[in-house]
Amino acid sequence: MNPATAKWYDRRDSVFIEFCVADSKDLKINLIKQSVVSGTDNVKHENQIDLYEAIDENASKHKRTDRSVLCYLRKAQPGTPWPRLTKEKEKLTWLKVDFNNWKDWADDSDEENYDKFSDLMHNMDGDDIPDLDENTTIENNCTYF
């Protein structure tokens, strides 16, 4: 099985991973304390990640769209920056940093606006799609197989 292309970025209380899988069906996402496994039945992708630190799997969620699967991983220890997604310092060819959403929040003093998207994802239930204001943009620069 081939891994799906993915992008990730770090926030104060969470980490976001977007798996670029178009028209996924029979999706299986397992959020375990320190790993994420994803896959689909259409083209058979499988990604397994040994995460940098532990997550709260009960507060973590994922959402499938027509073009990708977005995972919201709630950190077990909020406020700790992750310098990389994986525990080991290894270069995964299918994993890239999402620089469009990356933010150096460790130096950010504006506590009120640091993570609107994180709050939206945290409050989502299943297939609910939040109303985004005019200042919120979501870009999808995925490569499809």
Side-chain angles (χ1 to χ4, degrees):
M1 279 193 245
N2 294 326
T5 303
K7 302 184 296 184
W8 81 282
Y9 61 98
D10 182 37
R11 290 291 195 255
R12 284 186 198 283
D13 63 345
S14 57
V15 171
F16 290 87
I17 307 172
E18 182 179 18
F19 295 97
C20 301
V21 180
D23 298 324
S24 59
K25 295 181 178 100
D26 299 324
L27 184 67
K28 296 174 185 106
I29 301 279
N30 297 322
L31 301 176
I32 307 168
K33 284 189 181 194
Q34 286 197 304
S35 67
V36 176
V37 179
S38 70
T40 64
D41 274 350
N42 194 5
V43 178
K44 298 272 187 195
H45 295 287
E46 182 176 0
N47 298 65
Q48 187 161 1
I49 305 168
D50 189 14
L51 295 171
Y52 181 75
E53 285 188 10
I55 60 170
D56 179 356
E57 66 257 30
N58 295 326
S60 299
K61 301 177 183 183
H62 69 277
K63 173 139 181 70
R64 187 190 73 76
T65 67
D66 290 338
R67 296 184 163 227
S68 65
V69 178
L70 182 63
C71 294
Y72 165 82
L73 307 177
R74 184 78 171 185
K75 292 179 180 177
Q77 295 180 337
T80 304
W82 288 18
R84 60 187 177 277
L85 183 63
T86 59
K87 183 176 283 260
E88 301 295 322
K89 286 185 177 184
E90 60 184 300
K91 174 92 170 129
L92 302 172
T93 58
W94 52 267
L95 182 64
K96 299 192 179 351
V97 174
D98 186 351
F99 288 108
N100 290 333
N101 289 306
W102 191 270
K103 183 176 176 183
D104 188 10
W105 57 264
D107 296 332
D108 189 12
S109 61
D110 185 10
E111 292 292 323
E112 289 181 24
N113 296 322
Y114 77 89
D115 205 356
K116 287 182 184 177
F117 194 64
S118 173
D119 292 339
L120 286 173
M121 285 298 293
H122 183 66
N123 294 326
M124 283 177 41
D125 291 328
D127 293 330
D128 292 344
I129 298 175
D131 291 331
L132 301 176
D133 65 23
E134 59 197 43
N135 296 325
T136 305
T137 60
I138 300 174
E139 293 185 16
N140 191 345
N141 298 323
C142 298
T143 304
Y144 302 102
F145 300 96

